[in-house]
Amino acid sequence: MTQREWLERDFYADLGVPSNASVEQIKKAYRRLARALHPDANPQDPRAEDLFKTVSEAHAVLSDPVKRKDYDEARRLFTAGPFDRTRFHPGERSAGVSGDFDFGNLFARGSTSSTAGGGIGDLFNRAGNRTTGTRPRRGSDVETDTRLPFRDAVRGVVVPLRVSTTSTCTACHGSGATPGTTARECPRCNGMGLVTRNLGAFGFSEPCDDCRGTGTLVDAPCPDCQGAGIGNRTRTINVRVPPGVRDGQRIRIPGRGEPGLQGAPAGDLYVSVHVNTDPVFGRDGDDLTVTVPVTFSELALGATISVPTLDCHVGMRIPAGTAAGRTFRIRGRGVPVRGGTAGDLLVRAEVTVPPKLDSTAAEALRAYAQAEKATGFDPRAGWAGKR
């Protein structure tokens, strides 16, 4: 992607958000589109991978405050300048632009941010695939999603993920030229990738049309990458998901993103984890929760019942006279946490009433009801709703 193409891209439109969208709106839109367009979810659609890459590039710029600020500034200046010359007139002054302003300075100035790199020129080099005078640059970060069963998320698991990223062409090693040939310096821009135009009192720089901002011309394009020097690569990465990962948690895998330029470190891979619900267990922080059906007699007389855990069943003692809905705590049977410990298992005892009784059981229950009444026990004594 050349600098001109990069500036003409509307990343906000790619994500379907307004230009004043919040960071949360941008992330939400990206996650929705990434799930819908992921190649794994669209194996029969050849366009899905390109669309997935498009929204990933848009998110990479708009989710980074520094990149987004530089992108917005560049779009504002250049849509009023070299890309729309009819709106740029000698003597025109706008915010931050006056006198003999040279847009070439925009590419060279340093950033006041403490973030590595500087200025819009650095942002172009990060966004473009090949630019003249590039120095070693860290590769872009890559984002993807995965969905896990509840128990795998609690225990931890290794999952294979298919990740689509750009990578250096292995045939031409990024030169864009057919192996055995070399690219030559663009005579129009003298290898700078930019040409300067004067418009009255103003001067501005724009990507060279002949070399498309690369500074070089390829007479014999590489047949594998059609002269781009890069290509899309889908690879499978085994990602170790740590025990206890939560729904919506973002995991960082260093160095597994896009490769860096000229030997610089690769970017990172960020995996957003989505966890399915479980038919037996719930989760409360580092504790697991489970509801166990019990009978009235087990609560009234006391009993030892079998309770499920993640690995097996354990026995749990219910004291006589236990109230319905009471929660018991079994230590160390919850979610594994760092340090080799684990949360607890919270067991709620819930009374289950038999839908039908035979004559023997019904008669025994009536006898019990009479005996209970004789003791004077009233379950609604002191209840605010009693009349």
Side-chain angles (χ1 to χ4, degrees), residues 294-316:
V294 295
T295 65
F296 169 75
S297 60
E298 288 174 326
L299 294 183
L301 301 176
T304 298
I305 64 172
S306 178
V307 174
T309 69
L310 285 175
D311 305 311
C312 59
H313 281 67
V314 297
M316 185 185 78

Side-chain angles (χ1 to χ4, degrees), residues 81-311:
F83 294 131
D84 188 1
R85 300 188 185 105
T86 60
R87 295 172 53 192
F88 221 84
H89 305 289
E92 180 176 331
R93 295 173 180 262
S94 58
V97 181
S98 61
D100 294 328
F101 182 81
D102 187 346
F103 278 90
N105 294 333
L106 189 60
F107 296 93
R109 73 185 189 190
S111 172
T112 57
S113 168
S114 60
T115 305
I120 297 175
D122 283 342
L123 185 59
F124 287 156
N125 287 333
R126 289 194 295 267
N129 295 326
R130 297 170 61 236
T131 55
T132 270
T134 56
R135 61 179 181 269
R137 297 184 189 280
R138 178 181 178 276
S140 298
D141 294 335
V142 175
E143 295 206 17
T144 189
D145 296 78
T146 188
R147 182 167 291 277
L148 299 178
F150 180 88
R151 301 188 189 204
D152 283 349
V154 171
R155 293 191 181 103
V157 68
V158 175
V159 294
L161 296 179
R162 290 185 64 211
V163 180
S164 297
T165 62
T166 58
S167 62
T168 302
C169 175
T170 56
C172 66
H173 304 290
S175 70
T178 298
T181 67
T182 58
R184 58 187 175 89
E185 182 180 281
C186 175
R188 183 180 180 190
C189 64
N190 296 320
M192 295 299 295
L194 297 172
V195 293
T196 301
R197 298 181 184 276
N198 293 318
L199 195 65
F202 290 92
F204 60 84
S205 297
E206 65 177 354
C208 174
D209 290 332
D210 289 1
C211 64
R212 298 178 63 82
T214 65
T216 58
L217 296 176
V218 177
D219 297 318
C222 171
D224 285 16
C225 64
Q226 287 75 50
I230 62 167
N232 291 328
R233 179 169 64 122
T234 299
R235 51 196 168 119
T236 299
I237 299 175
N238 290 324
V239 175
R240 183 176 297 278
V241 178
V245 66
R246 301 174 186 273
D247 182 50
Q249 186 172 336
R250 202 162 170 250
I251 300 173
R252 173 177 170 265
I253 298 91
R256 302 312 296 269
E258 292 192 354
L261 294 177
Q262 297 185 354
D268 298 333
L269 173 64
Y270 288 90
V271 182
S272 295
V273 179
H274 306 281
V275 181
N276 294 333
T277 57
D278 188 84
V280 176
F281 296 104
R283 183 169 177 178
D284 182 8
D286 291 331
D287 296 332
L288 292 177
T289 61
V290 63
T291 298
V292 179
V294 295
T295 65
F296 169 75
S297 60
E298 288 174 326
L299 294 183
L301 301 176
T304 298
I305 64 172
S306 178
V307 174
T309 69
L310 285 175
D311 305 311

Side-chain angles (χ1 to χ4, degrees), residues 336-349:
V337 294
R338 291 182 179 178
T341 61
D344 301 331
L345 177 64
L346 306 181
V347 184
R348 184 175 182 272

